[in-house]
Amino acid sequence: MSGFWYGGDYNPEQWPEEVWREDVRLMNRAGVNLASVGIFSWARIEPRDGEFDFAWLDEVLDLLHAGGVRVDLATATASPPPWLALKHPEMLPVTVDGVTLSSGSRQAYCPSSPVYRRYAARLVERIVERYAGHPALALWHVNNEYGCHVSHCYCDESAAAFRAWLEAKYGTIEALNDAWGTAFWSQHYAGFDEILPPRAAPTFKNPTQVLDFDRFSSDELLACFQAEAAIIRARSQVPITTNFMGFFKPVDYWRWAQEVDIVSDDSYPDPADPLAPAYGAMQRDLMRSLGGGAPWLLMEQSPGAVNWRERNAAKLPGQMRAWSYQSVARGADGILFFQWRQAVAGAEKFHAGMLPHGGTDTRVFREAEQLGSELATLSSVDGLLGQPVPAEVAIVFDWDSWWAIEQKASPTAVSYLADVLGWHSALTAAGVTVDFVQATGELSRYRAVVVPSLFVASDAQLEALDAYAAGGGSLVVGYLTGILDPDLHVRTGGYLGALRETLGLWVEEFAPPAAPDLAALGGGEPPAVGVRGERIGGRASASLWSEYVRVESAEVEAVFDGGALDGHPAVTRHARGSGRAWYVATRLDPEPLGVMLDAILADAGVERLPRVPGVEFVRRGAFLVAINHGREAVTLDLPGTDILTGGSAAGLRLDPQGVALVADA
Amino acid sequence: MSGFWYGGDYNPEQWPEEVWREDVRLMNRAGVNLASVGIFSWARIEPRDGEFDFAWLDEVLDLLHAGGVRVDLATATASPPPWLALKHPEMLPVTVDGVTLSSGSRQAYCPSSPVYRRYAARLVERIVERYAGHPALALWHVNNEYGCHVSHCYCDESAAAFRAWLEAKYGTIEALNDAWGTAFWSQHYAGFDEILPPRAAPTFKNPTQVLDFDRFSSDELLACFQAEAAIIRARSQVPITTNFMGFFKPVDYWRWAQEVDIVSDDSYPDPADPLAPAYGAMQRDLMRSLGGGAPWLLMEQSPGAVNWRERNAAKLPGQMRAWSYQSVARGADGILFFQWRQAVAGAEKFHAGMLPHGGTDTRVFREAEQLGSELATLSSVDGLLGQPVPAEVAIVFDWDSWWAIEQKASPTAVSYLADVLGWHSALTAAGVTVDFVQATGELSRYRAVVVPSLFVASDAQLEALDAYAAGGGSLVVGYLTGILDPDLHVRTGGYLGALRETLGLWVEEFAPPAAPDLAALGGGEPPAVGVRGERIGGRASASLWSEYVRVESAEVEAVFDGGALDGHPAVTRHARGSGRAWYVATRLDPEPLGVMLDAILADAGVERLPRVPGVEFVRRGAFLVAINHGREAVTLDLPGTDILTGGSAAGLRLDPQGVALVADA
Amino acid sequence: MSGFWYGGDYNPEQWPEEVWREDVRLMNRAGVNLASVGIFSWARIEPRDGEFDFAWLDEVLDLLHAGGVRVDLATATASPPPWLALKHPEMLPVTVDGVTLSSGSRQAYCPSSPVYRRYAARLVERIVERYAGHPALALWHVNNEYGCHVSHCYCDESAAAFRAWLEAKYGTIEALNDAWGTAFWSQHYAGFDEILPPRAAPTFKNPTQVLDFDRFSSDELLACFQAEAAIIRARSQVPITTNFMGFFKPVDYWRWAQEVDIVSDDSYPDPADPLAPAYGAMQRDLMRSLGGGAPWLLMEQSPGAVNWRERNAAKLPGQMRAWSYQSVARGADGILFFQWRQAVAGAEKFHAGMLPHGGTDTRVFREAEQLGSELATLSSVDGLLGQPVPAEVAIVFDWDSWWAIEQKASPTAVSYLADVLGWHSALTAAGVTVDFVQATGELSRYRAVVVPSLFVASDAQLEALDAYAAGGGSLVVGYLTGILDPDLHVRTGGYLGALRETLGLWVEEFAPPAAPDLAALGGGEPPAVGVRGERIGGRASASLWSEYVRVESAEVEAVFDGGALDGHPAVTRHARGSGRAWYVATRLDPEPLGVMLDAILADAGVERLPRVPGVEFVRRGAFLVAINHGREAVTLDLPGTDILTGGSAAGLRLDPQGVALVADA
């Protein structure tokens, strides 16, 4: 790749042929060099069972090629045509309540359906056969947004596949009975044939069954991907991707990332949400981390408003550009949109396009042109494209824990992602760039590793965390960590399991504070649990969680403040080998969390980026990128030169949505 | 009709015969001259398949006739008896999720069911045969509240009917594919046999499929009506009605109004809702307008509390009378109730009756007597009964737009009816009586025409609106108008389509403000979009909508205030031919809307009725009607005489719920 | 029983054998003398159809016996094993919407299923046969928490059983048609074969059908109990219980209480809910009352947090003990927990156990030990164990009324239980101990009887209430009483039916105030209905209900204040025979309700217990029990000695959660 990719989804089948030529012309004008084609073209390519029509697609690819636009060619399997469902209704997905979902929207297939897989494979074979050698081809785009609308299917085909998956995992039914704890509630299975997906039931389902079904469902989608990728790889050397969706709960992207040649991502923060920049930063750090630090592609973002929220806010002037540079700063080598030309019919006609309903005389198109031009210029600048993003701190992210901690019948209703976002945004605000890692990943590369609620942890994971601290790292462990093993069995003998040694304490009892409505009835105390401590400072609200900690050898840095837990440890620090291990027995609000992080980061010797309220700083390659997400202009005082303006970065004024790429002086 | 109709639903089958005689006696005492009989009598008339029992109904009709009470005789098809569902379960309705709805409440039938239609036709034939010549018969009451509980059925019978409807509409499958935009999301249909109703699906359904299903569903109910009406008309000259339900979304009453001989309406505003009088006024204006200005019947209202809300408020003393006069003032020639005698069993036993559980020594019965007596007196007064209601302003109301704008995946979640009510109540408060019209109706009769969010508009509709302005009218166009054509394809090239010329502007981009919860997170700016302007006055809140307007030749009357749109046009005025065309790019709150309307109405030369806070004024025939909906007594100072009291209207005190009918001096 | 029972659910099948021995040892340490065994053991006892394995259970019972722990042996029928559902899917329960509920949680059976009942009976026969003579056996525990998750099943088997139940009740279809009022909405049934359970329907279902289905559903569960109990009684003299669940709506415990040998209860108030002590007191009074005043067992409570709420609060230090004494004070002779050893797998692993995950070095285990020790001591104290709890006031509680008043299409949405709790907690706060009674129970034992919203009342019930007042009692009747007969037909001629004579008034019309959201729109008046009166005192808010009362011979004690009802009677008193009858036409907030009760109780000559804010007082046998539920310590000044401390009760300091058992001096 000799420059930044720039472009978007392109759906020529929605337009008459004369528009195609105008599209290529305007793509050139906007600097587009990559178009994702064919994503929802199955019904156009194969309008009837076994009848294939490629002539139109030949022409589209030839036109794009002639115009110098490369193609990210889809396998077109994301949305089967209606005729397939009519012929094989058993391939339709079924909800947990037994409702069959019909054709007429998109993605109406059961991922485990042999029929779907057979027809999809045939289609992919035909497409690869025809286009593997096309000169426009730059990337294969397998399916689309796997699991977006149907991630879990409860049909009989899925049940059969689940049983096979379980048999492969457990070998014997007694191994499954032990893992699932079926002695509870008389759930013992005499054979695999008795097992069903966790369909609607009278009350709480078996938690391990539910978790295994989450794992199975992620695996089934991955198997769909693998089957298509294998067909492609047999005939083509062109790299393969499938577009991820950031922190998408149903799919464990750690497993998927190993299977794609390049990580790509779809990202749609709400412009009306003040947390959008923080969430965006976190999502881009995940994408970089999934690829092991390698450059990734922003495969989809919106040039303006989307269409699927209750209220679909427009992007502010400059906001699309600012958020695009956020991706570049955090490791992206391509910026693409959904979609090139805004649709006029169908469910997404109110989703913005680079080329809006209003045509080229629009702010949206002008901004698309501007960004295209800038990226073209930046492609030839040394030290940006393809460069890594250094990070000294990592957050452990774990899909098993996400799935498990948000199950019902847990100690309290927790949003895993809100918790992780709390840590990530506090670190970002503290001037720290963050990688995401697996607990068993290369932790030793980092000065500090934060472990938010690793609710489910294998022995290997706990040992890796301990080894990291003992080896000199700064380990920061959040509440509800190490509670369960991978079968969701409680690690008994005081919570925290093996981390008891690492942290110098154990947890005796969970004690979440009353929910706000009940707390209010109780006269205000404790409306929430507070925390007080010298290094943490003052009284800090901690509304979601508290627990009884039994300190053995840790130092207490802060205690709970008020209520039944008054004076009990809330934050502790423990020397472990040549490192240290912190424990945080609550969820802190942003301000006290920042104060605590200052102590932890200083302790760990983590280097900090500049800190200006509202401004995001990231270092990539030779550049320090600054993005003003605030509502006010700021003046930066940095050494070096902003390559976007060519001016000095000392005294540089950054308007709202303004961006600077500062090369060190 | 020689006088006002007065009476209500009468269900003698719920009572022993001896009560019937008492009923007639008390009806006479209360002034009742019309009873709606047989609405839910199917199971009583035909207790078993093909066994008919009319003896009881013969006797009821004879008793009523003997007592001087005329009959609005129902076709009794609104609620099939259980035996039909047992014999033909395929006639039961099915929800979008595939749940079959059972007998045991009411209206458990699929409107497209051939079985239902066959059995209903047989029943109607027998009833008409027997009673067409009965001297008590004054009106035929076809079915009841069509679509009230089951407006859309998703069963296989409905699917077949939908396919037939589509084939009749589109002719070829490719015409349908074009209209529905099935190139999107791989939805292309190879044949009509692949099409289903928009059943539960993985995500947003095809919008045109959904809209066509709305149209189809309204048409299927209408076909049920037409089939029954045809049977009646073959044997009877007595006029036919079916009771509408005000602004009832599932049924396009413009189409239905052409099929009934007299419009009749069921109306149940909540006495506890301060907006009830405004909503009532709007509903009655619709009824008058549906009939082209002809007198209509208030077929059902409650004499007191209803039974189906969470809390069922009693009517205030005098409120039933005040609201009855609201109907008379706005064109009704009959006031009827659900129901005559309050039931003692079943799901509606707590719904008030004219004759309550407490008997005749009750406020409710006394008020019913009083109103009956007054209407009898008013029947012989010249200039009221049968007279028209003059209106200089009209609001365009459009079911297609209602259906489409409230679909998901729209620019923002809009309540069409709340928007229309905003316009209507502001006009009423401004002293203006309003008709409702279709865009292709006789607009030239009005000095001003308001077009709230005509989201879906045909070329003919847009041309009619333009012609109205060009011909000298004052056209007022609200946001989200003319965006889509009848197939829900966007009119590209800048929003507003052909109205661009009319209004002297186009819309570049939608920019709804953040929802209140997100706005609050954002620090308050913009918590909502404001508007400022000289004629509009001050800063006006506009919380739901804003957009980027590109003015070409319009004058800007007000601009947005604050946020990203600060200074962009919010209200404009454009000279068009011999008229003018206003555009309102937001939803204004009541006060600034009133200020703006003052400007528009003055500009248009619209005459105003008196304006007293809390008091509704309407002119009908020779009378100015005044109704005090407020909580305080007011003193009116009008020329003329109040015919209810016979006193002068100058210095007339009107208590809360008080009514005056003032004849010009 | 020679002492207090103490112990809990014990699920040895979840643990390896070596743990069983530790369990018995630790049970001894904690003072446990009763263990509930086998509740969810069906799949363990009968892992395959007809294959029984009792060896493990033999050993468990022998171990417990050897350790001196008696056994409450379950029939194990609460949760059928998966193989039964696989073999007979027709035994699975079906929801009102037609969704079949699967195995994989618990209680997945249709109570009417002949298959379930046949397999359950076979299992019970085998268990009774084997263990009827076991020396550890102290109690039979039939099934578990009947109806907890599946109380109403809508499957075809249930439909058939419902038809049979109806035929037995009504004899002829016309009797059913009359009772159900099927003349309404054309619901007439030609035969029993046309009748279905009240499955999903287009709108409100027939209310009597719904009520009969509630009665049927309670009866079907009872029939399951009776079938098992009959098998046991044929072979065993050991007493039988099944664990109730307090105020559990689906099951009419008045009918069940006659069938058990001892009443037992599961009780889980939320420690975070300030109303928990009041609710707990009410629940325990019900249990005592169900058994006619005989001692009962607290079969399940949690030693700490539960697992099934959104947030699962820990119990405060001492709170488990305080609440246990609440049960003892209100008549319990046993305190048991769910469960002995906290589970490590399955859906309840986060539900506390007496022996927590943290082991014996935990607050929870220490508190369990302490209580076990105290109860052992108290067992030998005269005047407590087995003693009655005196009560001079009773509240009429009625399941039919509960079911009916919370049906839809009622005058207003009422929570029957909130209303009853309002009365009960106000009486408790007034220093009064309360029994619950049926209206046809032995009312004459009480100085005052409160009747909250006896919405459904038979003639016999109304006559009994009148006779009670006429015979010298103080009858206090709440709004919405006597409105309907047992078929849910309105008692016409002015509401209140036969109580009109008793109360000296009738009710003309219901007039619930506007719901808060609408009231707010209306400018604040009436945001709620108020009440004023001399004895009631000041202005009292009454937000839920108001109505038009027509006084005949009653004295008005308070009137409504504000709004349309201003000055109308709100509270009345009427001399009736040698007694008096009060009527309360609204729901009063706690403070004015207390003021009113002071007047009523003084009038009735009811003796009062001490009254200290936050402290609950109850007299049992020779002891006055005081429990401090407040957040502050209090000092009591009572004559006598606290047997827990042995100190004087004069000047006794009671910390939060503190308990005193004061023997009269």
Side-chain angles (χ1 to χ4, degrees), chain B residues 102 310 312 344 357 361 363 631, chain C residues 200 410 413 490 495 508 550:
Chain B
S102 293
E310 283 277 295
N312 297 296
V344 295
H357 292 146
D361 177 18
R363 184 175 61 80
R631 295 171 176 281
Chain C
S410 283
V490 173
Y495 300 118
E508 179 182 331
R550 294 278 291 272

Side-chain angles (χ1 to χ4, degrees), chain B residues 267-352:
Chain B
S267 171
Y268 293 97
D270 185 350
D273 183 355
L275 293 178
Y279 188 85
M282 178 168 87
Q283 179 166 347
R284 316 210 191 287
D285 286 348
L286 175 68
M287 290 303 135
R288 182 184 67 251
S289 303
L290 287 173
W296 55 281
L297 294 181
L298 180 62
M299 181 61 84
E300 292 185 19
Q301 68 171 342
S302 179
V306 300
N307 64 308
W308 40 266
R309 294 195 172 93
E310 283 277 295
R311 291 198 182 193
N312 297 296
K315 284 188 169 162
L316 297 172
Q319 198 168 42
M320 177 277 281
R321 176 174 172 266
W323 291 7
S324 297
Y325 279 109
Q326 185 186 55
S327 289
V328 170
R330 293 184 184 274
D333 274 3
I335 300 295
L336 297 108
F337 295 87
F338 181 84
Q339 60 178 334
W340 163 248
R341 183 185 281 270
Q342 187 166 8
V344 295
E348 293 189 332
K349 58 183 172 291
F350 291 115
H351 191 295

Side-chain angles (χ1 to χ4, degrees), chain A residues 79-342:
Chain A
S79 204
W83 57 254
L84 186 55
L86 184 68
K87 191 162 189 168
H88 293 286
E90 75 275 16
M91 58 74 71
L92 289 171
V94 172
T95 71
V96 67
D97 286 328
V99 177
T100 298
L101 302 180
S102 293
S103 297
S105 65
R106 67 183 242 194
Q107 210 188 333
Y109 64 87
C110 161
S112 301
S113 162
V115 165
Y116 166 74
R117 292 195 185 179
R118 191 170 70 241
Y119 276 84
R122 184 176 71 178
L123 177 67
V124 177
E125 277 161 15
R126 297 295 299 268
I127 289 174
V128 174
E129 188 174 278
R130 190 166 195 100
Y131 298 113
H134 197 284
L137 187 68
L139 194 61
W140 287 106
H141 187 109
V142 171
N143 198 282
N144 188 64
E145 295 184 339
Y146 270 109
C148 184
H149 304 295
V150 178
S151 58
H152 293 64
C153 176
Y154 297 82
C155 75
D156 289 340
E157 305 270 24
S158 296
F162 186 41
R163 284 188 285 266
W165 185 94
L166 291 169
E167 197 155 2
K169 172 172 182 177
Y170 291 108
T172 69
I173 193 65
E174 282 315 321
L176 178 143
N177 278 307
D178 289 347
W180 287 17
T182 58
F184 176 76
W185 280 358
S186 187
Q187 297 169 348
H188 183 271
Y189 294 100
F192 284 98
D193 61 325
E194 293 176 1
I195 298 176
L196 292 173
R199 291 175 179 164
T203 181
F204 303 122
K205 301 165 195 174
N206 181 294
T208 319
Q209 177 188 20
V210 171
L211 180 63
D212 268 346
F213 196 66
D214 286 335
R215 292 162 169 156
F216 158 79
S217 298
S218 177
D219 282 359
E220 287 294 282
L221 290 167
L222 183 55
C224 289
F225 171 86
Q226 288 166 322
E228 296 196 15
I231 294 169
I232 295 169
R233 291 201 170 105
R235 294 177 179 260
S236 169
Q237 306 302 318
V238 171
I240 295 175
T241 194
T242 186
N243 44 345
F244 294 165
M245 290 171 285
F247 290 88
F248 181 65
K249 187 174 172 185
V251 171
D252 181 348
Y253 286 142
W254 289 120
R255 300 198 51 185
W256 288 61
Q258 304 161 7
E259 308 276 340
V260 297
D261 297 322
I262 180 165
V263 167
S264 67
D265 191 39
D266 296 356
S267 171
Y268 293 96
D270 186 351
D273 183 356
L275 293 178
Y279 188 85
M282 179 168 87
Q283 179 165 347
R284 316 208 192 286
D285 286 348
L286 176 68
M287 289 304 133
R288 182 185 64 251
S289 303
L290 287 173
W296 54 281
L297 294 182
L298 181 62
M299 181 61 82
E300 292 186 19
Q301 68 172 341
S302 179
V306 299
N307 64 310
W308 41 266
R309 294 195 171 93
E310 283 277 294
R311 292 197 183 194
N312 297 296
K315 284 189 170 162
L316 296 171
Q319 197 167 42
M320 177 278 280
R321 175 174 172 267
W323 291 7
S324 298
Y325 279 109
Q326 185 186 55
S327 290
V328 170
R330 292 183 184 277
D333 274 2
I335 301 295
L336 298 107
F337 296 88
F338 181 84
Q339 59 179 334
W340 162 248
R341 182 184 281 270
Q342 187 165 8

Side-chain angles (χ1 to χ4, degrees), chain A residues 525-615:
Chain A
E525 196 223 343
V529 171
V531 168
R532 64 174 184 266
E534 266 184 43
R535 286 219 275 185
I536 308 306
R539 190 186 193 283
S541 155
S543 55
L544 186 93
W545 187 256
S546 52
E547 61 187 15
Y548 289 96
V549 169
R550 294 279 291 273
V551 166
E552 294 181 321
S553 49
E555 299 157 63
V556 177
E557 295 273 345
V559 296
F560 287 109
D561 181 16
L565 284 100
D566 191 70
H568 283 262
V571 181
T572 63
R573 181 183 185 283
H574 186 233
R576 176 68 171 169
S578 55
R580 51 207 91 57
W582 300 71
Y583 183 65
V584 188
T586 183
R587 181 188 287 184
L588 289 167
D589 289 343
E591 202 188 343
L593 181 55
V595 175
M596 185 181 75
L597 281 175
D598 281 342
I600 292 173
L601 295 169
D603 199 47
V606 174
E607 202 179 342
R608 316 281 274 273
L609 296 163
R611 299 164 75 177
V612 176
V615 181

Side-chain angles (χ1 to χ4, degrees), chain C residues 205-469:
Chain C
K205 300 164 195 175
N206 181 294
T208 319
Q209 177 188 18
V210 172
L211 180 63
D212 269 345
F213 195 65
D214 286 336
R215 290 162 171 155
F216 158 80
S217 298
S218 177
D219 282 358
E220 287 294 282
L221 290 167
L222 184 56
C224 289
F225 172 85
Q226 288 167 324
E228 296 196 16
I231 294 168
I232 295 169
R233 290 200 171 105
R235 292 176 180 260
S236 170
Q237 307 302 318
V238 171
I240 296 175
T241 193
T242 186
N243 44 344
F244 294 166
M245 290 171 285
F247 290 88
F248 180 64
K249 188 175 171 185
V251 172
D252 181 349
Y253 285 141
W254 289 120
R255 300 197 53 186
W256 288 60
Q258 304 161 9
E259 308 276 340
V260 298
D261 297 322
I262 181 166
V263 167
S264 67
D265 190 38
D266 295 356
S267 171
Y268 293 96
D270 186 351
D273 183 356
L275 293 177
Y279 188 85
M282 179 168 88
Q283 179 166 347
R284 317 211 190 284
D285 287 347
L286 176 68
M287 289 303 133
R288 182 185 66 250
S289 303
L290 287 173
W296 54 280
L297 295 181
L298 181 61
M299 181 62 82
E300 293 185 18
Q301 67 172 341
S302 178
V306 299
N307 65 310
W308 41 266
R309 293 195 172 93
E310 283 277 295
R311 292 197 182 194
N312 297 296
K315 283 188 170 161
L316 297 172
Q319 197 167 43
M320 177 278 280
R321 176 175 172 267
W323 291 8
S324 297
Y325 279 109
Q326 185 186 56
S327 290
V328 169
R330 293 184 183 275
D333 274 2
I335 300 296
L336 298 107
F337 296 87
F338 182 85
Q339 59 179 334
W340 162 248
R341 183 185 281 270
Q342 188 166 6
V344 294
E348 292 188 332
K349 59 183 170 290
F350 291 114
H351 190 295
M354 297 169 79
L355 183 58
H357 292 147
T360 56
D361 176 18
T362 54
R363 184 176 61 80
V364 166
F365 186 75
R366 279 188 292 274
E367 292 194 10
E369 276 183 297
Q370 180 193 346
L371 182 62
S373 164
E374 288 181 5
L375 289 178
T377 305
L378 289 173
S379 293
S380 57
V381 167
D382 277 348
L384 188 62
L385 182 74
Q387 293 300 303
V389 177
E392 293 187 335
V393 176
I395 292 176
V396 170
F397 193 89
D398 184 75
W399 261 267
D400 266 10
S401 289
W402 192 0
W403 291 332
I405 205 170
E406 294 184 356
Q407 284 192 1
K408 300 190 177 192
S410 283
T412 200
V414 167
S415 162
Y416 182 68
L417 212 53
D419 211 52
V420 173
L421 178 60
W423 285 104
H424 188 277
S425 58
L427 284 162
T428 303
V432 172
T433 304
V434 176
D435 279 351
F436 285 98
V437 289
Q438 293 180 276
T440 52
E442 293 183 55
L443 305 185
S444 61
R445 291 162 38 184
Y446 302 97
R447 288 189 184 273
V449 170
V450 176
V451 187
S453 298
L454 190 70
F455 194 48
V456 176
S458 66
D459 293 347
Q461 286 173 307
L462 296 179
E463 284 158 18
L465 295 178
D466 183 67
Y468 167 71

Side-chain angles (χ1 to χ4, degrees), chain A residues 13-14 40-43 47-48 79-83 86 93 99-108 149-150 270 272-274 304-305 307-317 342-350 357-358 361-364 366 631, chain B residues 97 180-181 183-190 193-194 196 199-207 209 408-413 455 483-484 488-490 492-495 506 508-516 518-519 521-522 525-526 543-544 548 550 564:
Chain A
E13 65 270 42
Q14 296 178 20
F40 290 108
S41 303
W42 189 341
R48 282 175 191 76
S79 204
W83 57 254
L86 184 68
V99 177
T100 298
L101 302 180
S102 293
S103 297
S105 65
R106 67 183 242 194
Q107 210 188 333
H149 304 295
V150 178
D270 186 351
D273 183 356
N307 64 310
W308 41 266
R309 294 195 171 93
E310 283 277 294
R311 292 197 183 194
N312 297 296
K315 284 189 170 162
L316 296 171
Q342 187 165 8
V344 295
E348 291 189 332
K349 59 182 171 290
F350 291 115
H357 293 146
D361 176 18
T362 54
R363 183 174 63 78
V364 166
R366 278 188 293 273
R631 296 172 176 280
Chain B
D97 286 328
W180 288 16
F184 176 78
W185 279 358
S186 187
Q187 297 170 348
H188 183 270
Y189 294 100
D193 60 325
E194 293 176 1
L196 292 172
R199 292 175 179 164
T203 182
F204 302 122
K205 301 165 195 175
N206 182 293
Q209 176 189 20
K408 299 190 176 190
S410 283
T412 199
F455 193 48
I483 306 303
L484 303 176
L488 300 189
H489 292 222
V490 173
T492 54
Y495 300 119
W506 58 286
E508 179 182 333
E509 190 179 357
F510 304 140
L518 284 178
L521 282 176
E525 194 223 344
S543 55
L544 186 91
Y548 290 95
R550 295 278 291 271

